[in-house]
Each structure stands twice: as C-alpha cells, then as structure tokens.
Amino acid sequence: MLFLTSIAVSLLAVIITAPSTSTVQFSWYTESAVVCKVYIYSENTSKELSEATPSVFHSMEASELSPDTQYKYRIECDATKAYIQAGSFSIPLNPGNNFSFVVYGDSRSNPRMHAKVAEAISKKKPLFVMHTGDIVYSDERLDDWADFFQATVALGNALFFPVIGNHERTAENYKRFFSLPGNESYYSFKVGELLFIALNTNERFDSYSKQYKWLKSLLSTEKAEFTVVILHHPPFSYGPHGDSYYVKNFLVPLFEQYGIDLVISGHDHNYQRIVCNNLTYIVTGGGGASIYKIKDPSGIASSFEGYNFVLFEYNSGVLKGICYDINGHEIDSFTISSH
C-alpha cells in the first residue's frame, strides 16, 4: 500500500502515466514549493531523478524501464526529507492470462467523494486504472488539479490512463500532468490480448477527421481477443444528457463493423449497462460529481444511481465486469466471451 510519513505537511498523491512500455511519468502535488527526487528500483535496476527548481506541481519522466516488471518508487523532497511517499507499479504488456483493471469517471467537483471512490478502487488492487473524463471541473484551474491529486492518494500503485472529458476540453494541464501514448488526445495500447482505444469526443471524429481515419486504420490492422473503447460522451444513455448524436452516428457503425467488444463512457453521473446489436455499452460516471437520475430504465440491462466504479477481470478468454458502489457492494456483473 502507498504510505505517508507521520509529519505535519506531506506530499499528497502520485499519478503514474505511461506513454510507452518503457517509460512512465510521475506527477504529484505538494502543499508548498519544494525540490524533489524520485528513486526507482527493482531487483535489477535502480534510478534516481532530480528536480532543479522548487515547485508545487511536479512531473518527472523515467525511461528505459522494462514492461511486466515490478518496480518500487520513493519520492523525497528537500534535504530534510520532510516530504516522502512511496509505492510500486508495473507497465503491463504481457501480464498473463489473469489480471484486472478498473474504469471510472466524472470525478470533478467533489474531491471528498472522489477520494472515497479512489480508496474503494485501491482495495481491488487493479493492474491499471482508466478514467472516462471530466477529471476536474476546469482544466485551466490549478486549484481543481490540486483537489484531484489530494483525492487520488490511494491510486499511486497503478498506472492511470484517462480520456479527455468536456471539462478538460483545452487539455493544457491534462497533457502537463499525464503522459500518454500517441498524440495523447486519443491513443491506443495493448495489454496481453486486450486492445484499449481511448478516444477524444471533444475534437472532430467525423469521417473526414484525422481521429476517425486513425481509428478506422487501427481497427482494420490491429487484432486482439478483446477490443475495448473508452470515451467520454456515451453513444447510448438513459441519463439527462442522453445519447450523443454524433458518437452514435459516426462511431457506432465503426464499432459494429469491426466487432468492438465493449464501449465504456461517462458524462452521465450514474451507472448504466446497455446492450445494442450484441455490443455492450457501459456508462460509469459516478466518480465524485453529483449523481444524475435515470430518466427511463426500461431499455437498460442494469442501472444504478450512485457513486460507482467498474472492475474488469480478464481470465483466459473471458472478460467479466463488476460494478461496485463505494462501500464495496456489488451492483451488477456481466461477462463477455471472446469471438
């Protein structure tokens, strides 16, 4: 588990993102401007990264790492070591036939509740965590990012893969604090036999756009046992935002044409599982923002009006999803088998 020393002022949280299978970025927040060092070590490796100038928001990159290797890290700040935090991580590439990951979203506006969701997630010990967007209320406001870091102290032992929500539309600080594959606005990565595609529904994705062409090329060339799409705006939703017209009209036909297995979104602050043309759509927007009502549950396979996250367990050809509330109670479960 991530730990803090018992001092009056402490380093608050570390988020670890990975632009490749050999590089990670550590981003963290301290309550006052300090200079920090990051120590990374495994059975065969040790690295030391140092900052040159004091800061409140910190980002440092470590390269030449090996995937599927368990690394430990320690962050110390100032010569007195008054700030210290430690944890562990691995960069998943081929983690075997049995692993888990978590997806949640819409954590903005309520750091106290977001912290409870993060703590509940950490108890499941996922290999990595994905976020469906609306991470903060406003990308431009550093106070919102400080709240985000304070709320996610429990997530320092897993890589973090977010997508851009409408509240991060400009994504200036998003790209400062997160280092992600590809162009970072939209990207893909593979873990074992699972292909993950993170889309940005805040920039063009019509059939003439770069994002659409990139997606179509990826789907036509990259093969996987399961293909999972993560995006912010839901193509189908029975919450107040409803269906995203453009996602449904431009992207759903591609999802169906190329046999996508699972589409996960946020935006509506609740949980929904919808099945359409044999494709499973999940809305998980219960990460901290105020909860939205379900307008009409008649077309939903399962729904929940409350804070939530979804744990996915992959086990040799079967992908099982389990929705939990913040108290660890199971709300819904479902399985998807490989084609």
Side-chain angles (χ1 to χ4, degrees):
M1 289 295 293
L2 200 66
F3 65 87
L4 295 172
T5 56
S6 56
I7 53 180
V9 181
S10 61
L11 181 143
L12 293 171
V14 179
I15 290 293
I16 310 171
T17 50
S20 74
T21 56
S22 61
T23 304
V24 299
Q25 177 176 291
F26 296 89
S27 296
W28 68 98
Y29 165 76
T30 50
E31 292 177 320
S32 56
V34 290
V35 174
C36 299
K37 290 185 177 182
V38 180
Y39 301 90
I40 306 166
Y41 46 98
S42 66
E43 288 185 358
N44 304 311
T45 306
S46 63
K47 293 178 179 288
E48 178 182 327
L49 311 172
S50 300
E51 290 183 306
T53 57
S55 181
V56 171
F57 290 96
H58 310 257
S59 292
M60 299 184 73
E61 190 172 276
S63 58
E64 298 181 342
L65 302 175
S66 299
D68 304 315
T69 297
Q70 191 68 24
Y71 288 97
K72 295 183 179 180
Y73 70 88
R74 187 175 75 255
I75 299 177
E76 297 179 355
C77 302
D78 283 350
T80 60
K81 297 184 180 179
Y83 300 72
I84 183 170
Q85 189 158 341
S88 62
F89 70 93
S90 67
I91 307 173
L93 180 61
N94 292 299
N97 293 325
N98 194 334
F99 61 89
S100 67
F101 60 95
V102 161
V103 185
Y104 79 115
D106 294 87
S107 54
R108 64 169 180 84
S109 308
N110 191 340
R112 182 184 64 83
M113 191 56 66
H114 184 195
K116 290 185 177 181
V117 175
E119 288 165 6
I121 290 171
S122 71
K123 293 177 181 177
K124 301 301 180 183
K125 298 181 179 179
L127 187 60
F128 57 95
V129 174
M130 301 193 74
H131 195 296
T132 61
D134 281 6
I135 300 161
V136 294
Y137 187 80
S138 173
D139 180 78
E140 293 90 350
R141 293 197 322 215
L142 287 176
D143 284 351
D144 289 356
W145 284 105
D147 287 342
F148 164 77
F149 281 105
Q150 292 180 68
T152 52
V153 64
L155 299 183
N157 288 314
L159 295 193
F160 191 78
F161 292 98
V163 301
I164 297 173
N166 51 287
H167 284 263
E168 296 88 39
R169 185 185 301 272
T170 59
E172 182 178 341
N173 281 313
Y174 174 97
K175 292 182 179 180
R176 171 185 173 187
F177 297 131
F178 305 140
S179 184
L180 300 164
N183 68 8
E184 299 188 285
S185 289
Y186 48 88
Y187 60 92
S188 70
F189 64 97
K190 211 168 181 183
V191 178
E193 294 300 318
L194 278 68
L195 173 65
F196 295 89
I197 302 174
L199 299 179
N200 182 2
T201 49
N202 299 281
E203 68 176 72
R204 283 184 56 185
F205 53 85
D206 60 88
S207 56
Y208 297 100
S209 67
K210 290 182 179 179
Q211 183 170 198
Y212 183 96
K213 292 175 182 177
W214 169 86
L215 174 61
K216 188 171 183 178
S217 175
L218 179 69
L219 291 175
S220 63
T221 56
E222 189 74 63
K223 304 305 176 184
E225 185 176 26
F226 291 100
T227 300
V228 180
V229 171
I230 313 288
L231 70 173
H232 183 64
H233 296 90
F236 302 99
S237 174
Y238 292 82
H241 284 304
D243 301 352
S244 173
Y245 174 84
Y246 294 106
V247 173
K248 187 162 64 173
N249 282 272
F250 286 118
L251 297 182
V252 167
L254 268 188
F255 299 160
E256 294 180 352
Q257 177 184 351
Y258 287 98
I260 299 300
D261 299 284
L262 181 64
V263 177
I264 309 173
S265 61
H267 200 43
D268 270 331
H269 305 167
N270 46 46
Y271 169 78
Q272 303 173 56
R273 176 165 58 90
I274 300 163
V275 180
C276 182
N277 292 335
N278 297 316
L279 202 166
T280 298
Y281 296 87
I282 299 295
V283 176
T284 174
S290 57
I291 295 300
Y292 292 169
K293 294 287 186 181
I294 303 292
K295 293 192 300 182
D296 177 12
S298 61
I300 307 178
S302 180
S303 64
F304 174 63
E305 296 175 349
Y307 298 106
N308 69 84
F309 63 91
V310 185
L311 173 71
F312 289 93
E313 299 173 338
Y314 172 76
N315 193 338
S316 301
V318 175
L319 187 61
K320 181 178 181 179
I322 310 167
C323 177
Y324 290 98
D325 68 12
I326 58 174
N327 297 311
H329 299 140
E330 184 176 315
I331 303 301
D332 179 39
S333 67
F334 59 95
T335 57
I336 301 172
S337 298
S338 59
H339 300 304

